[in-house]
Amino acid sequence: MARKTTTSSPRRNQPRPAAKKHAASKGLLRRVLRVAGWILPGIVAVILILRFVPPPTSAFILTRHAERMLDSAPGPAVMHEWTPLRRIPKHMALAVVAAEDQNFPNHFGFDVDAIARAVEHNKKNQKVRGASTISQQTAKNLFLWSGRSYVRKALEAGFTVLIELLWSKERILEVYLNIAEFGDGTYGVGAASKRFFGKTPARLTTHEAALLAAALPSPRKFSPSRPSAYLRQRAQWVQTQMRQLGPNHIAWH
């Protein structure tokens, strides 16, 4: 009697590994989009509110408070004081624009020419040069953290677009002037005027405004009240740029 042989047939409807991976990726993407659909309206609402309401603090200020509590970054007490637009002199705003982002009135959050120049510079030099605009710095200081990760830069770009869409240029500059670090643990032009010059922002001279703006790239390294030779030289450069730009370079009421 001949033996009956059986052959194993391939199992049907068995998903291939590539198909499994593709399905998992689609599922993850759907979950990410679902979460974003919930988070994005909240972010937009917060930014809209901050168009009219002074931010009580910022991500950078909160981080600095935490560092001081943990003694991981010794330094003077953290100082922050909101100053309304009407009490900030135009030459203080112009000094910041001259020092940090001269094309601020014209770009939509990103200065393409400055980015191209920074890329060329960084190819040839070890010292990295950034090209962040005032809008980008406002987004980063207000909502994010320091660092150079791609995730942080992507979030910064998203917040920058929203801020440019929902705020006026004047409002962006007003918020920046109130949350930027002008000296070690000193946030906002109101706190900086009081700590370094013992006066209100409205009484700042053009030279004092230039000193504050000159310290912005390295606020924990320089003191506007005790300026080094380098800081004095940079402040003179800022004043020269202010004269060249002219008082009408920015809209300020």
Side-chain angles (χ1 to χ4, degrees), residues 127-195:
K127 187 175 181 181
V128 176
R129 176 191 293 175
S132 292
T133 63
I134 285 175
S135 304
Q136 289 175 273
Q137 292 180 53
T138 301
K140 178 182 68 176
N141 291 6
L142 193 57
F143 297 110
L144 302 171
W145 62 94
S146 61
R148 295 184 178 274
S149 70
Y150 290 114
V151 172
R152 204 271 295 161
K153 291 298 289 184
L155 290 172
E156 177 189 300
F159 277 110
T160 299
V161 170
L162 289 174
I163 285 173
E164 284 280 349
L165 283 171
L166 301 175
W167 294 0
S168 66
K169 285 287 188 178
E170 204 170 57
R171 179 58 173 174
I172 294 172
L173 193 50
E174 180 186 22
V175 172
Y176 179 72
L177 284 164
N178 276 285
I179 64 173
E181 187 175 16
F182 288 95
D184 194 4
T186 309
Y187 295 88
V189 65
S193 301
K194 185 178 294 185
R195 173 167 277 177

Side-chain angles (χ1 to χ4, degrees), residues 48-186:
L48 273 173
I49 291 170
L50 294 180
R51 178 178 178 175
F52 307 101
V53 178
T57 186
S58 73
F60 271 38
I61 296 172
L62 291 174
T63 300
R64 187 62 167 161
H65 275 299
E67 291 173 348
R68 294 287 291 120
M69 290 176 62
L70 298 172
D71 291 328
S72 61
V78 177
M79 191 173 177
H80 173 237
E81 182 177 314
W82 177 269
T83 303
L85 180 71
R86 64 183 181 277
R87 296 179 184 171
I88 301 176
K90 186 173 185 176
H91 59 260
M92 181 67 244
L94 182 60
V96 167
V97 170
E100 294 288 289
D101 183 8
Q102 294 188 9
N103 200 32
F104 173 72
N106 306 314
H107 62 62
F108 188 72
F110 308 94
D111 191 334
V112 178
D113 292 336
I115 292 171
R117 290 194 299 269
V119 169
E120 287 300 316
H121 175 272
N122 296 340
K123 287 180 181 178
K124 303 173 183 176
N125 298 272
Q126 291 183 342
K127 187 175 181 181
V128 176
R129 176 191 293 175
S132 292
T133 63
I134 285 175
S135 304
Q136 289 175 273
Q137 292 180 53
T138 301
K140 178 182 68 176
N141 291 6
L142 193 57
F143 297 110
L144 302 171
W145 62 94
S146 61
R148 295 184 178 274
S149 70
Y150 290 114
V151 172
R152 204 271 295 161
K153 291 298 289 184
L155 290 172
E156 177 189 300
F159 277 110
T160 299
V161 170
L162 289 174
I163 285 173
E164 284 280 349
L165 283 171
L166 301 175
W167 294 0
S168 66
K169 285 287 188 178
E170 204 170 57
R171 179 58 173 174
I172 294 172
L173 193 50
E174 180 186 22
V175 172
Y176 179 72
L177 284 164
N178 276 285
I179 64 173
E181 187 175 16
F182 288 95
D184 194 4
T186 309

Side-chain angles (χ1 to χ4, degrees), residues 24-46:
S25 299
K26 288 180 66 177
L28 177 61
L29 179 61
R30 281 196 295 268
R31 287 194 291 272
V32 170
L33 292 175
R34 192 179 299 119
V35 172
W38 283 100
I39 294 176
L40 185 57
I43 292 174
V44 171
V46 169

